[in-house]
Amino acid sequence: MNINPTSGRPLYEQLMFGIKQDILLGILQPGDKLPSVREMAQQQLVNPNTVAKAYKALEGQGVIDTVLGRGTFVAENSNDLGPDRQQMNQFKRQLNDLLTEGMYIGLSRQEIIDLMSEWYGGTHEARR
């Protein structure tokens, strides 16, 4: 997981994305324990409040579970959750932004479709 402070994307969102990506790639499995807020902050060189915000949002999405006195774990059903309406609307906005940017830089419709097919045909396909 790589957090880039100069990317323009909020650090907590980068952390959330990194955890979700690690789950999709099988690096993190349901039931795996995540580092504590303090440990993750030290590993990623971010403020503990940033990690706490990411963990809270992921818990709200059902991606992780926090057990008082035990720690934070990948949820047992983290791969089975479908998107809620808010997540779907956010995804559509982000996808629209990416597609607009792709067309602006000169990508054709077919090139965009090919990129999507390439993504689904890669390591992500094994998790579907």
Side-chain angles (χ1 to χ4, degrees), residues 18 37 72 92:
V37 168
T72 303
K92 285 180 180 179

Side-chain angles (χ1 to χ4, degrees), residues 20 61 63 82-92:
K20 287 178 178 179
Q61 294 174 3
V63 176
D84 64 22
R85 183 177 304 272
Q86 182 180 357
Q87 288 174 309
M88 182 59 82
N89 287 337
Q90 180 181 0
F91 175 79
K92 285 180 180 179

Side-chain angles (χ1 to χ4, degrees), residues 66-81:
T66 299
V67 180
L68 272 168
R70 294 205 48 230
T72 303
F73 302 85
V74 176
E76 291 298 329
N77 61 349
S78 61
N79 285 331
D80 301 331
L81 297 174

